[in-house]
Amino acid sequence: MQMDWPGLDRYDRKILEVLSEDGRISIADLARRIGLSKSPTQARLRRLEGEGVITGYRALIDPIRLGLDHVAFVEVRLKDTREAALAAFNAAVAKIGEIEQVHLIAGSFDYLMKIRTRSMSEYRLVLAEKISTLPHVSGTSTYVAMQAVKEDASLGPLGNVT
């Protein structure tokens, strides 16, 4: 199934697909992979960066090899969900390094967090000293991951580029 990506043609989508797999690819190899010459490929790449479609390049680091193999998902309920309270919570969350992801959720709780630590005891400290003290938190529920079945940072729907 072909996805519609406004403002992106098939070459742009192919650039994004290739770069999501290999962000260190040379312009020459990227051009060859997408079927254009180097100059238009480089111009498209600069445009995608300039428009903020590509926001940066980074190394993918294996947290397990660094001993960060305890993953917990935490439901967070707030006692106040007005815009000012959400903004205060969001600003405070951004300062906590152990939190990998935070999503505002429509449902029976307000936020879902992915937290990575070295151990359960380290997680308990993060929960008690950092998460529970965030602005407007009324309660949390923790779910510990036993195994990551799929963790993929690629842009799934872009894989349907033709």
Side-chain angles (χ1 to χ4, degrees):
M1 180 175 101
Q2 180 67 40
M3 298 290 291
D4 182 31
W5 298 90
L8 301 179
D9 66 13
R10 69 184 184 104
Y11 294 110
D12 293 337
R13 293 189 306 268
K14 189 67 176 170
I15 288 171
L16 296 176
E17 178 187 358
V18 171
L19 287 176
S20 74
E21 296 168 2
D22 182 4
R24 296 180 62 172
I25 192 169
S26 71
I27 293 294
D29 289 340
L30 178 60
R32 195 169 20 265
R33 292 264 310 264
I34 70 168
L36 291 176
S37 64
K38 285 172 45 175
S39 292
T41 299
Q42 191 155 32
R44 285 171 177 273
L45 183 57
R46 284 192 187 121
R47 180 179 49 77
L48 291 167
E49 292 169 344
E51 292 175 352
V53 174
I54 296 174
T55 59
Y57 303 87
R58 60 180 62 145
L60 298 175
I61 298 166
D62 184 351
I64 306 299
R65 291 188 183 264
L66 298 176
L68 297 167
D69 58 352
H70 183 274
V71 175
F73 292 90
V74 181
E75 294 178 356
V76 178
R77 289 171 301 288
L78 302 182
K79 52 189 158 206
D80 184 355
T81 57
R82 292 175 291 180
E83 285 302 315
L86 296 178
F89 180 85
N90 294 347
V93 156
K95 298 174 185 172
I96 301 175
E98 293 88 352
I99 301 174
E100 283 189 359
Q101 297 179 7
V102 181
H103 303 273
L104 181 61
I105 300 292
S108 61
F109 55 96
D110 300 301
Y111 284 90
L112 181 64
M113 298 180 173
K114 179 182 179 187
I115 299 170
R116 186 178 293 275
T117 57
R118 295 186 195 306
S119 64
M120 177 60 85
S121 58
E122 186 176 310
Y123 167 72
R124 286 182 55 225
L125 241 127
V126 169
L127 180 65
E129 302 297 324
K130 297 181 180 181
I131 295 175
S132 295
T133 63
L134 288 167
H136 309 287
V137 170
S138 67
T140 63
S141 295
T142 298
Y143 304 90
V144 175
M146 296 189 310
Q147 176 185 7
V149 176
K150 180 181 180 187
E151 283 190 324
D152 188 357
S154 71
L155 300 173
L158 286 176
N160 299 322
V161 175
T162 55

